[in-house]
C-alpha cells in the first residue's frame, strides 16, 4: 500500500494527515504484512479492505474536531496489532500512548515497529486490563481510553473506565447496529462513574461502511470494586 493512496483516502474521509505521516502508515502496513505471515496479526489482508476497515476505522475519531485533542495521554486497551493506539500515535505524534495487550509477542512487534518509525512517547504494557485497572500507577491516570473490540459494551466499560481520569473520555469503537448494546450498557456506565456524551456515526465515502464511536465522559471516580476479575465480569455483566 503506497503512502499516496493512504493520504488520499484519509483526506477524502476528513481525517487530517500529511504526506509524511501517511508515509509512516505505509511503513506500518508493510511491516504488518511481513509479520502477519508469522504471527496472525490480522485476518484482513486485501489492501482496499484494510485501508477502510482498519486504518480509516482506527483513525475516525480524528475526523471529528475536538473529539481527540492533539495532546494528552491515551491508553489503548487490547491493542492487538496496534489498532487504534499505534496508528493514532503515527498520525498524532504528540499524544502519549500506552499500548496494553495480554500477548507479549504482539507488544514486542509494536516496540520494534516504534523503533523503525522513530516514535517516542510510547509505553508497552503486558497485562490484562482487569488486573492493570486496579494498579494505582495506572488507575484514573489517562485522559483517554480507547478500545476497538467485539466485546460487549458493558464489559468494555468495566475494563476501560477505571483507567480514565475524571474529566477524561472513553472512546468505544463499535458497529452502527449497537443501539441495543448501548441501551443495555447505560446502568454500567453510570455505576462506573461515566456519562454517555453521545455517539458519532461516520460513513466512509463510496462504500457501504459506516463506523460508530461511542463517547463516554468520566464524571466521577470509578468505585474501588471495579474492574472485577474476568470470570466474574463475564458471568455477571453490570
Amino acid at each position: 500500500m503506497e503512502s499516496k493512496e493512504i493520504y488520499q483516502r484519509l483526506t477524502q474521509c476528513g481525517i487530517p494527515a500529511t504526506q509524511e505521516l501517511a508515509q509512516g502508515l505505509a511503513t506500518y502496513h508493510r511491516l504488518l504484512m511481513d509479520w502477519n505471515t508469522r504471527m496472525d496479526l490480522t485476518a484482513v489482508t486485501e489492501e482496499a479492505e484494510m485501508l477502510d476497515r482498519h486504518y480509516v476505522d482506527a483513525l475516525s475519531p480524528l475526523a471529528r474536531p475536538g473529539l481527540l485533542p492533539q495532546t494528552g495521554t491515551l491508553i489503548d486497551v487490547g491493542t492487538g496489532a496496534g489498532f487504534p493506539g499505534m496508528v493514532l500515535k503515527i498520525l498524532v505524534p504528540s499524544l502519549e500512548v500506552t499500548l496494553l495487550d495480554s500477548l507479549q509477542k504482539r507488544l514486542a512487534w509494536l516496540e520494534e515497529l516504534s523503533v523503525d518509525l522513530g516514535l517516542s512517547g510510547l509505553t508497552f504494557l503486558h497485562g490484562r486490563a482487569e488486573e492493570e485497572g486496579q494498579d494505582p500507577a495506572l488507575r484514573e491516570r489517562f485522559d483517554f481510553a480507547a478500545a476497538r473490540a467485539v466485546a460487549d459494551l458493558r464489559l468494555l466499560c468495566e475494563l476501560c473506565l477505571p483507567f480514565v481520569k475524571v474529566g477524561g473520555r472513553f472512546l468505544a469503537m463499535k458497529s452502527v447496529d449497537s443501539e441495543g448494546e448501548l441501551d443495555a450498557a447505560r446502568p454500567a456506565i453510570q455505576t462506573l462513574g461515566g456519562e454517555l456524551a453521545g455517539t458519532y456515526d461516520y460513513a466512509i465515502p463510496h462504500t457501504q461502511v459506516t463506523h460508530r464511536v461511542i463517547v463516554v465522559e468520566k464524571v466521577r471516580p470509578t468505585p474501588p470494586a471495579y474492574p472485577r476479575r474476568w470470570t466474574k465480569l463475564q458471568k455477571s455483566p453490570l
Side-chain angles (χ1 to χ4, degrees):
M1 193 183 303
E2 299 295 328
S3 61
K4 181 179 179 181
E5 179 186 3
I6 295 172
Y7 173 74
Q8 289 176 338
R9 193 58 167 158
L10 294 183
T11 53
Q12 181 185 44
C13 294
I15 297 169
T18 65
Q19 292 279 8
E20 182 180 4
L21 294 175
Q23 182 59 56
L25 286 177
T27 300
Y28 171 92
H29 178 74
R30 175 175 55 80
L31 292 170
L32 174 62
M33 290 297 93
D34 178 40
W35 277 69
N36 198 53
T37 61
R38 292 165 272 163
M39 282 184 58
D40 189 27
L41 291 164
T42 175
V44 180
T45 56
E46 197 278 319
E47 288 195 344
E49 187 180 7
M50 280 200 74
L51 185 51
D52 287 338
R53 284 189 57 186
H54 282 336
Y55 300 108
V56 171
D57 180 50
L59 294 165
S60 59
L62 299 177
R64 182 82 168 194
L67 185 58
L68 187 67
Q70 298 293 301
T71 59
T73 54
L74 178 143
I75 183 168
D76 178 8
V77 179
T79 189
F83 300 109
M86 181 60 100
V87 290
L88 283 169
K89 176 65 178 179
I90 292 171
L91 233 63
V92 189
S94 53
L95 274 178
E96 296 286 328
V97 175
T98 295
L99 303 175
L100 170 63
D101 202 85
S102 61
L103 196 60
Q104 178 62 54
K105 64 180 182 178
R106 290 192 195 119
L107 294 172
W109 171 68
L110 289 167
E111 191 163 5
E112 181 175 315
L113 174 65
S114 72
V115 174
D116 290 341
L117 293 174
L119 295 174
S120 59
L122 274 165
T123 300
F124 305 90
L125 182 60
H126 178 224
R128 298 184 62 86
E130 68 273 18
E131 297 171 359
E132 302 300 329
Q134 291 287 0
D135 184 345
L138 299 169
R139 191 175 179 87
E140 299 187 328
R141 301 291 182 177
F142 295 90
D143 297 305
F144 303 94
R148 183 177 176 265
V150 295
D152 184 271
L153 185 60
R154 293 172 296 174
L155 304 186
L156 286 180
C157 286
E158 186 166 349
L159 293 173
C160 295
L161 277 172
F163 290 109
V164 181
K165 63 177 64 172
V166 173
R169 294 174 182 168
F170 166 44
L171 308 180
M173 298 179 180
K174 304 292 290 184
S175 65
V176 291
D177 58 352
S178 56
E179 285 297 336
E181 191 176 334
L182 177 56
D183 287 341
R186 289 177 188 272
I189 291 171
Q190 184 175 24
T191 297
L192 295 161
E195 184 177 277
L196 181 64
T199 61
Y200 167 45
D201 289 356
Y202 181 72
I204 298 178
H206 313 304
T207 75
Q208 301 299 311
V209 178
T210 302
H211 306 299
R212 170 169 291 171
V213 180
I214 297 173
V215 184
V216 179
E217 298 276 358
K218 185 71 171 283
V219 295
R220 296 177 304 278
T222 299
Y226 305 106
R228 298 166 293 167
R229 298 185 69 83
W230 179 246
T231 52
K232 181 69 172 178
L233 194 148
Q234 276 191 307
K235 188 178 296 184
S236 303
L238 292 173

